Amino acid sequence: MNLNDVMLVGTHPITLRVVLGFMEDAESSLEVYRWAATAMMHAFDTQDLELRQQINKILDEKGLKPYGQYEPEQSNQVNASAIEKRQKKTMPPAVQQMQLKLAIEALMALKDKDNKELFCQKNHWWAVYRLCVDMEVMGLKENRYKEFIELIDKLELQHINAVLDMATLSNISQDLYRYPFTKWELHKPWGDGSRKISAYQRMYEIAESFQKILEEKGF
């Protein structure tokens, strides 16, 4: 464990020493888990068992539930998948909520090839909803639009590029985006005009980018 290791919190570089210090000094459980999640992601990336043990020790001292047992990365894909599922199950709801907030804020900050916001329309929330369902984020289920909107409201996002509303979100059931992301290519609008194809390509890029961000956040 190197306390001088630097990681990014949002767009700000911060040392592991400071992250653990904030975790120890935090007064609310949500704040504790927020800093714990940042440190834990670093532990996963570096396979640092000592750091994971230190995080669990701090959580335990604060009377909070420690994370599950750390296991090194496996070359066998089946074992790796099982480990990832266990890790997701051990991520407390407060941590999932904070990680989801950071993921969406990161998505909102992405730019397209013209240096404009990649996520820029109401219906782009379809991609966020789709991935949250596909990856079982916060236990979200299919067709639970109201629950999704309530979840987004609860995140108290600092900045969004387009408003989320029920009318726009529920229209997902009328388009190809109602299918899991892995099946979008099977329903790609090949002969529906350049405008619709361009819209599909942007939606696909948003979904693909968000999937990567969620995976980086531990989902």
Side-chain angles (χ1 to χ4, degrees):
M1 180 172 64
N2 186 350
L3 296 176
N4 293 320
D5 280 354
V6 177
M7 62 204 75
L8 286 179
V9 178
T11 58
H12 304 288
I14 189 170
T15 65
L16 176 60
R17 187 190 309 278
V18 173
V19 169
L20 292 178
F22 282 149
M23 183 181 168
E24 291 177 335
D25 295 340
E27 296 182 357
S28 70
S29 59
L30 179 60
E31 190 70 9
V32 174
Y33 278 128
R34 175 189 176 188
W35 293 110
T38 300
M40 189 61 71
M41 290 303 103
H42 185 67
F44 288 159
D45 291 340
T46 59
Q47 299 186 21
D48 192 333
L49 177 58
E50 183 183 0
L51 174 55
R52 186 177 179 101
Q53 291 173 337
Q54 179 63 22
I55 295 168
N56 285 345
K57 178 182 177 182
I58 296 174
L59 289 173
D60 186 60
E61 290 174 348
K62 288 181 172 290
L64 301 174
K65 183 180 178 181
Y67 291 97
Q69 180 64 38
Y70 174 80
E71 297 186 40
E73 182 178 357
Q74 302 290 325
S75 57
N76 184 285
Q77 292 184 352
V78 175
N79 290 339
S81 177
I83 292 171
E84 288 173 0
K85 289 181 179 179
R86 287 200 297 272
Q87 289 172 348
K88 181 160 57 175
K89 288 181 179 179
T90 60
M91 189 188 298
V95 178
Q96 288 194 48
Q97 184 172 316
M98 180 57 63
Q99 292 297 85
L100 176 59
K101 177 178 180 177
L102 294 174
I104 295 177
E105 289 178 343
L107 177 66
M108 294 292 172
L110 294 181
K111 305 292 184 181
D112 62 16
K113 61 182 180 180
D114 297 319
N115 201 35
K116 295 180 180 179
E117 292 173 337
L118 180 64
F119 186 115
C120 60
Q121 298 178 7
K122 284 185 177 182
N123 67 348
H124 289 164
W125 281 105
W126 293 354
V128 176
Y129 172 80
R130 183 71 265 157
L131 266 297
C132 284
V133 172
D134 290 354
M135 299 180 71
E136 302 178 354
V137 175
M138 300 295 294
L140 191 68
K141 302 295 184 182
E142 197 75 67
N143 301 320
R144 303 287 181 84
Y145 305 129
K146 183 179 179 181
E147 289 182 15
F148 177 71
I149 291 175
E150 290 175 348
L151 173 60
I152 297 302
D153 288 341
K154 190 184 299 183
L155 297 181
E156 298 181 351
L157 298 168
Q158 297 299 310
H159 173 74
I160 58 174
N161 302 343
V163 176
L164 170 63
D165 59 59
M166 179 65 77
T168 301
L169 187 62
S170 60
N171 282 336
I172 191 175
S173 63
Q174 303 173 22
D175 216 319
L176 67 91
Y177 308 109
R178 68 184 183 274
Y179 298 106
F181 178 53
T182 55
K183 296 184 178 180
W184 283 12
E185 285 285 355
L186 299 176
H187 302 275
K188 186 175 181 179
W190 292 104
D192 294 331
S194 60
R195 184 174 180 179
K196 192 163 186 178
I197 292 175
S198 178
Y200 166 81
Q201 290 173 337
R202 178 172 286 259
M203 190 75 79
Y204 191 96
E205 184 178 357
I206 291 170
E208 186 175 47
S209 298
F210 191 54
Q211 182 181 48
K212 291 177 181 178
I213 294 172
L214 287 175
E215 289 172 349
E216 290 171 356
K217 298 298 180 184
F219 289 103

